[in-house]
């Protein structure tokens, strides 16, 4: 019997990037269906937290995501440009956010087509790997979507023409994450149990194996 799980994910989260490829591989190797559920970064959902939180947090997150990537052997560099338009010195967030809305809405459109995890993996690679500059320009996103089996022009048209409905779905994703008992990403939710962080993937697999998770035949 195919098991199902939800993966709550942000296109600005370095830890989401470090997790997505491994969750994609798990779904390919095991009889498992993972639905990507995009949520907005905290900078969009609740920017007051950024302004009131400990000023050491951004520096620690960068350091920790870099060493985690080194340990895992995953290429990593902070995105250029950052998906969130923000003054990192003052932490002021711009009112104009073209990148994250583009990524979030096309990601949700990919989920509508059952290919959210593959899309998020391919897009996160070009955003966070450091292998390309200006990931938002040229054909980088087009090629990433193609590798996931999707047409980026189709996704982007949907993101523009159905933005209100896509935003409502993303809001529902955040509500579902809250109801599952967590607030951060990446969080995999399996049978109402949340597994938060890129370092809980093996624990999530262990739990699913207890519930009958098996490798795909062949």
């Amino acid at each position: 019997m195919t098991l199902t799980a939800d993966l709550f994910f942000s296109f600005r989260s370095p830890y989401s990037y470090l997790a997505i490829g491994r969750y994609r591989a798990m779904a390919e190797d095991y009889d498992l269906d993972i639905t990507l559920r995009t949520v907005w970064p905290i900078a969009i959902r609740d920017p007051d937290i950024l302004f009131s939180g400990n000023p050491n947090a951004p520096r620690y997150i960068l350091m920790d995501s870099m060493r985690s990537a080194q340990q895992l052997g995953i290429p990593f560099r902070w995105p250029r440009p950052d998906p969130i338009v923000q003054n990192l010195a003052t932490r002021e967030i711009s009112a104009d956010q073209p990148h994250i809305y583009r990524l979030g809405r096309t990601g949700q459109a990919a989920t509508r087509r059952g290919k959210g995890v593959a899309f998020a993996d391919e897009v996160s690679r070009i955003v966070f790997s450091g292998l390309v500059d200006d990931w938002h320009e040229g054909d980088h996103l087009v090629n990433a979507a193609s590798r996931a089996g999707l047409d980026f022009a189709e996704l982007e048209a949907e993101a523009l023409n159905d933005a209100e409905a896509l935003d409502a779905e993303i809001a529902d994703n955040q509500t579902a994450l809250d109801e599952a008992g967590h607030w951060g990403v990446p969080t995999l939710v399996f049978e109402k149990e949340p597994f938060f962080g890129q370092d809980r993937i093996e624990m999530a697999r262990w739990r699913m194996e207890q519930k009958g998770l098996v490798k795909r035949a062949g």
Side-chain angles (χ1 to χ4, degrees):
M1 180 182 68
T2 301
L3 300 185
T4 61
D6 290 334
L7 178 60
F8 295 88
F9 176 96
S10 159
F11 281 94
R12 203 237 189 155
S13 161
Y15 297 117
S16 287
Y17 160 63
L18 295 176
I20 188 65
R22 288 179 286 158
Y23 275 127
R24 181 184 183 183
M26 186 187 298
E28 291 173 349
D29 292 343
Y30 289 85
D31 192 7
L32 172 66
D33 183 12
I34 299 177
T35 297
L36 188 86
R37 303 194 66 171
T38 298
V39 299
W40 298 125
I42 193 68
I44 299 298
R45 286 188 282 124
D46 194 355
D48 288 343
I49 291 178
L50 293 183
F51 298 128
S52 62
N54 192 303
N56 288 326
R59 182 168 62 249
Y60 178 81
I61 289 170
L62 178 61
M63 178 188 70
D64 186 58
S65 55
M66 289 181 67
R67 70 185 176 195
S68 295
Q70 290 175 345
Q71 182 185 39
L72 294 165
I74 297 174
F76 176 86
R77 184 187 68 191
W78 195 260
R80 301 178 186 174
D82 192 321
I84 292 290
V85 181
Q86 178 182 10
N87 184 323
L88 294 180
T90 65
R91 294 193 280 181
E92 181 181 0
I93 298 165
S94 172
D96 183 26
Q97 295 292 338
H99 305 314
I100 196 61
Y101 287 122
R102 185 186 193 196
L103 292 175
R105 289 167 182 159
T106 54
Q108 187 62 28
T111 291
R112 288 176 169 181
R113 291 158 175 77
K115 295 184 177 181
V117 169
F119 178 80
D121 180 34
E122 296 294 345
V123 168
S124 291
R125 288 172 191 260
I126 65 165
V127 173
F128 279 98
S129 70
L131 300 178
V132 302
D133 288 320
D134 298 321
W135 55 264
H136 63 308
E137 297 179 345
D139 59 3
H140 295 309
L141 290 170
V142 171
N143 292 338
S146 179
R147 290 191 294 271
L150 294 162
D151 182 331
F152 189 72
E154 179 183 301
L155 297 178
E156 190 151 49
E158 189 168 318
L160 291 170
N161 297 327
D162 204 23
E164 185 175 349
L166 289 165
D167 288 355
E169 291 172 20
I170 293 171
D172 287 344
N173 291 343
Q174 183 60 51
T175 298
L177 177 58
D178 293 339
E179 291 175 348
H182 215 280
W183 57 91
V185 291
T187 293
L188 185 89
V189 176
F190 171 68
E191 294 189 349
K192 300 183 179 180
E193 185 177 5
F195 297 85
F196 167 66
Q198 64 86 21
D199 55 351
R200 288 295 182 265
I201 295 174
E202 289 305 308
M203 181 177 287
R205 182 174 62 83
W206 163 78
R207 175 65 83 209
M208 289 186 284
E209 285 176 340
Q210 291 181 323
K211 302 294 180 129
L213 182 68
V214 295
K215 291 252 185 168
R216 294 189 185 274

